[in-house]
Amino acid sequence: MTLIKTLKQWQESENNVTPERIYLNRRKFMTKSGVFAASAVGGMLAANKLLLAADGTPLKKLPHQKTQYNPGEELTTEQAITSYNNFYEFGTNKTDPAKNAHRLTIEPWKVKVMGLTEAPGVYDIDDLIDYNNLEERIYRLRCVEAWSMVIPWVGVSLASVLEKLKPLSTAKYVRFQTKLDTEEMPWTLTQGLDFPYVEGLRMDEALNPLSFMAVGLYGKELPKQNGAPMRLVVPWKYGFKSIKSIVSIEFTDQKPLTTWEKSAPHEYGFYANVNPNVDHPRWRQGKERRIGEFRRRETLMFNGYEEEVAHMYKDMDLTKFY
Ligand code: MTE
């Protein structure tokens, strides 16, 4: 018998796990701490297990379990994931969100739940996310613009969130909406998209085990530019389906009209499943540029998640645009 335990790759070291009592106070602590004075950051890091984001922002560490969701591909660097973003509410250039999203207020964070549900109301994020049962999932993210990343998200299954909200059996779709605050997001006033940003999924897609509600990445809270404090991750669909900074969840029997579909219906469909055989009018979809790599690689059907999701689309002609 040996006292030295060998950790499997998916097991978190005990040293890394924040005691639950600190953890339960997570939101309160973040509210009180406010803006961090540079000199205080070191002490806070030690006392409260804060880590620095790639851009120097202090973010709280999120204890989590590692899981089997791992494509076994090299991770995109944290630096790239947090500095090359699409978050049009904070500007249209890839580097704008990292510069501007600090304006987003995320404390407190309330989510309005409505439509075909037994439990409508306004929920605090802590009522929706079980912070004591977070898991890490490493997923490919494939943007319709033909670039891709491999991201270690931290969060919970979307099904675990939706089950708490008791949708009625008549609910066929779920519609999500991003926060809109024109003072925090003045860019929304001057560019073409119709905000607030809206996305949606069919209920069976939303309840698919792969659908994920992320609250962190690289073991820390989500940086604002990545959609803090909670954003969807739907890895078999183009990245625009993975809506950020969600403030409303509506169950409906009508297919939601999503932001991109509304702005350019011939370019963006509701389903938007990654499909290397159907080109976008401006981007060929057969290949992709993995951020950090030199050579382009083949795009996989359903972004490599065919086994888990193809059954949901067996009645669709996958040579067509949806
Ligand atoms: N959500 C909102 N609210 N606004 C956006 O502009 N962009 C989408 C998606 N979610 C977007 C959004 C697009 S096009 C992509 S590719 C992903 O976010 C990018 O996520 P990332 O910046 O974390 O890589």
Side-chain angles (χ1 to χ4, degrees), residues 203-233:
M203 277 306 278
D204 60 329
E205 297 178 314
L207 297 176
N208 184 285
L210 285 183
S211 296
F212 200 57
M213 188 68 88
V215 295
L217 59 82
Y218 264 105
K220 289 169 269 188
E221 290 183 309
L222 276 179
K224 292 180 178 177
Q225 59 269 32
N226 292 93
M230 57 187 263
R231 61 89 55 88
L232 209 61
V233 182

Side-chain angles (χ1 to χ4, degrees), residues 81 84-89 141 143 147 149 151 153 178 197 225-226 231 239-240 242-244 260:
I81 294 169
Y84 186 90
N85 300 101
N86 277 334
F87 199 168
Y88 277 52
E89 288 86 333
L141 175 87
C143 180
W147 54 263
M149 297 189 184
I151 304 181
W153 301 105
T178 295
Y197 195 99
Q225 59 269 32
N226 292 93
R231 61 89 55 88
F240 66 87
S242 292
I243 181 173
K244 297 178 169 181
W260 287 105

Side-chain angles (χ1 to χ4, degrees), residues 156-221:
V156 296
S157 70
L158 179 60
S160 75
V161 176
L162 299 186
E163 277 157 15
K164 292 189 170 78
L165 305 178
K166 302 189 168 52
L168 301 178
S169 59
T170 47
K172 298 280 176 282
Y173 299 90
V174 54
R175 177 185 184 277
F176 301 91
Q177 196 170 300
T178 295
K179 180 175 184 182
L180 175 59
D181 181 317
T182 53
E183 283 185 12
E184 293 177 3
M185 306 161 165
W187 300 272
T188 55
L189 298 170
T190 52
Q191 49 112 337
L193 273 189
D194 192 9
F195 295 101
Y197 195 99
V198 169
E199 259 308 334
L201 293 172
R202 220 170 51 192
M203 277 306 278
D204 60 329
E205 297 178 314
L207 297 176
N208 184 285
L210 285 183
S211 296
F212 200 57
M213 188 68 88
V215 295
L217 59 82
Y218 264 105
K220 289 169 269 188
E221 290 183 309

Side-chain angles (χ1 to χ4, degrees), residues 112-121 123 161-171 173 203 249-253:
K112 188 168 178 192
V113 174
M114 56 197 159
L116 301 172
T117 161
E118 279 174 36
Y123 291 73
V161 176
L162 299 186
E163 277 157 15
K164 292 189 170 78
L165 305 178
K166 302 189 168 52
L168 301 178
S169 59
T170 47
Y173 299 90
M203 277 306 278
I249 299 178
E250 180 180 0
F251 298 100
T252 166
D253 54 6

